[in-house]
Amino acid sequence: MKLTTNYSFILASESPRRKELFGKLAIPFEVQPANIEEVVEGKLTPEDMAISIAYKKTVPIVEKNPNAIVIGADTIVHLEQESLGKPTSQDQAKAYLKKLSGRTHTVVTGVSIQGSGTSISFAESTQVTFYELTDEQIDAYVATGDSLDKAGAYGIQTMGGLFVKKIEGDYNNVVGLPISRLFQTLLTLEVIKFEKEWSK
């Protein structure tokens, strides 16, 4: 399967995981991190919060590249009424993992597609259930340093995935980018198309 496009794409994220996932489309793209403050005003649902931050990431990049299609994304781990962002210390990472232990949480990724006459956003949600974790397991994982750059203090694609009992929904959404839904959206917008291959 080959895709083609007449547009320039920019991924407004410095996440190596999102870069790898977007690369599955096999179309040319650049990476330009937005470097914004990832906060929003007011009381929002996790979905609206993720979309709002994803959109904020696209704004400065679209201003610099008005003819490109800019894609921003933001992932939030939500447990009951609390959002667990990226921990700022090992102690906070341990506290997050203790809260997630033995429970089901929601991972929400907001995606915003902006620029070149395009403006659409959506949020994808995945339910993730953890096994009961011991203090020893939590301490050993946090000591690796893997927790500190990930929402909810774990990476499902790294050793943090060993804590996951089951998921309901899109695995890639938990990694940081619901690439399947993004692919379908870009096809619907007709900014990417299938490249016809003719065989004799």
Side-chain angles (χ1 to χ4, degrees):
M1 181 174 73
K2 291 186 178 180
L3 299 170
T4 184
T5 182
N6 293 323
Y7 295 86
S8 297
F9 282 86
I10 299 174
L11 182 62
S13 173
E14 60 186 353
S15 164
R17 299 169 292 279
R18 291 195 181 112
K19 181 180 178 181
E20 180 180 358
L21 286 169
F22 194 79
K24 291 180 182 292
L25 297 178
I27 57 174
F29 72 99
E30 295 179 53
V31 172
Q32 291 188 28
N35 299 318
I36 64 157
E37 188 177 0
E38 297 182 15
V39 294
V40 291
E41 300 294 332
K43 190 173 182 179
L44 301 176
T45 65
E47 292 80 9
D48 287 342
M49 185 182 302
I51 287 173
S52 179
I53 295 174
Y55 174 75
K56 283 179 67 175
K57 290 179 179 180
T58 68
V59 172
I61 311 302
V62 170
E63 289 176 352
K64 292 186 290 185
N65 305 271
N67 296 320
I69 292 179
V70 180
I71 296 172
D74 186 69
T75 300
I76 294 173
V77 171
H78 196 71
L79 180 66
E80 295 181 348
Q81 302 303 311
E82 184 179 7
S83 291
L84 308 181
K86 297 175 183 176
T88 57
S89 67
Q90 289 196 347
D91 285 343
Q92 189 174 53
K94 291 176 184 179
Y96 282 0
L97 291 170
K98 285 181 180 179
K99 288 180 180 180
L100 297 176
S101 174
R103 301 169 75 184
T104 298
H105 60 275
T106 304
V107 180
V108 179
T109 298
V111 177
S112 190
I113 308 166
Q114 304 293 331
S116 197
T118 300
S119 180
I120 188 170
S121 300
F122 64 85
E124 185 74 17
S125 297
T126 303
Q127 303 297 312
V128 181
T129 302
F130 267 27
Y131 285 101
E132 292 281 353
L133 306 180
T134 65
D135 288 345
E136 183 181 25
Q137 290 172 339
I138 290 172
D139 290 349
Y141 176 60
V142 171
T144 68
D146 190 56
S147 294
L148 295 179
D149 68 335
K150 296 173 179 66
Y154 76 96
I156 196 170
Q157 74 285 356
T158 58
M159 291 188 72
L162 300 176
F163 299 156
V164 176
K165 186 175 184 179
K166 68 175 181 177
I167 71 168
E168 296 178 49
D170 183 357
Y171 169 87
N172 289 323
N173 185 56
V174 185
V175 179
L177 188 66
I179 190 63
S180 298
R181 185 168 175 185
L182 178 57
F183 166 63
Q184 296 294 334
T185 303
L186 295 176
L187 282 176
T188 300
L189 293 170
E190 298 185 338
V191 295
I192 61 172
K193 297 181 180 180
F194 290 105
E195 185 177 288
K196 292 190 172 87
E197 296 184 65
W198 304 96
S199 58
K200 296 182 180 179

